[in-house]
Amino acid sequence: MDYKQLKELLFRHECEHPETHLTAYITFASFGPNNKKEYPWNSRTYVISSDNKAFQPNKGGYSIFGSCLDGTDPCLRLEGLMAAECAGKDGWVVEDCGIAGYLLIESSECIIPAPKLFYSYSDALGCMLTRLAEETGREAEQVKKDYDEAKALFDGTYDSGWGASCLDGSGVSWIWKIQPACIYGAMNIVFPQLKNKSCLM
């Protein structure tokens, strides 16, 4: 989708559902006419949220903050750099835009239920931990606590995919995974393999 479509979609979402926020991508074709260097996709793509003043009604200011997928520029103010916003002809040129989705995939030997699609990582994670609690017969709050402690042990890099046997040693083979997806349109959904997955969470 183009930037105008993305902006309209994010603004409409914030008007109708201000209690939740969408995550989106903006991939730039160039960083202005004076920058001739070529960059990989990860270095040209920034993650933004609909929780920015530019996409929300009745705000006193106007701003768009984003984070580059390659780990640089973790909180860059973009509207002053973009040709489609305030920077004019010398600004960064948008190549493509998309909404971020999160597929919750689970399996157990021959059983593979249909994946569930979420528009926030936290919602996908919450569903995963609830399902894990159901399968192991444990309290959901205790499962979340165990998950948080396991993440801390691995410096926050613990994978989102868990087998139920990780928690209680029962040998149950249920496995979950949260797979990020770039939704560019109804017929164009991409599953990126990103080195820096924390940018998406």
Side-chain angles (χ1 to χ4, degrees), residues 50-155:
S50 61
D51 189 17
N52 271 291
K53 290 181 179 179
F55 312 123
Q56 297 173 327
N58 305 318
K59 292 292 181 178
Y62 190 92
S63 57
I64 303 171
F65 288 90
S67 300
C68 188
L69 284 184
D70 67 4
T72 63
D73 298 332
C75 188
L76 183 66
R77 189 163 178 172
L78 294 171
E79 83 282 355
L81 301 171
M82 296 171 58
E85 287 287 348
C86 305
K89 61 182 179 61
D90 293 327
W92 296 5
V93 177
V94 175
E95 176 181 285
D96 206 351
C97 305
I99 296 294
Y102 302 89
L103 284 176
L104 178 58
I105 304 166
E106 58 181 294
S107 68
S108 177
E109 297 177 354
C110 296
I111 303 172
I112 305 177
K116 301 175 183 67
L117 177 64
F118 298 87
Y119 287 100
S120 78
Y121 175 79
S122 60
D123 287 346
L125 179 61
C127 183
M128 182 187 81
L129 297 178
T130 298
R131 292 283 296 118
L132 200 52
E134 292 171 355
E135 291 298 326
T136 57
R138 303 182 68 201
E139 292 292 328
E141 285 303 314
Q142 185 60 47
V143 171
K144 185 179 185 304
K145 181 180 178 182
D146 291 345
Y147 175 84
D148 290 339
E149 289 176 356
K151 285 190 71 174
L153 288 175
F154 289 88
D155 298 323

Side-chain angles (χ1 to χ4, degrees), residues 3-32:
Y3 181 66
K4 181 180 179 181
Q5 290 174 309
L6 176 67
K7 193 171 177 178
E8 290 174 351
L9 192 156
L10 296 182
F11 187 82
R12 185 168 66 248
H13 176 82
E14 287 293 323
C15 288
E16 297 174 357
H17 306 285
E19 69 283 356
T20 63
H21 307 294
L22 295 179
T23 302
Y25 295 90
I26 301 175
T27 300
F28 294 98
S30 74
F31 294 116

Side-chain angles (χ1 to χ4, degrees), residues 34-54:
N34 296 323
N35 191 330
K36 305 300 182 183
K37 183 179 176 180
E38 293 188 5
Y39 296 86
W41 181 82
N42 277 15
S43 298
R44 296 184 291 113
T45 301
Y46 283 73
V47 177
I48 65 170
S49 169
S50 61
D51 189 17
N52 271 291
K53 290 181 179 179

Side-chain angles (χ1 to χ4, degrees), residues 155-183:
D155 298 323
T157 60
Y158 198 70
D159 193 1
S160 298
W162 266 28
S165 57
C166 293
L167 290 180
D168 61 4
S170 65
V172 178
S173 60
W174 280 97
I175 297 173
W176 285 262
K177 179 182 179 181
I178 297 175
Q179 171 64 56
C182 300
I183 305 170

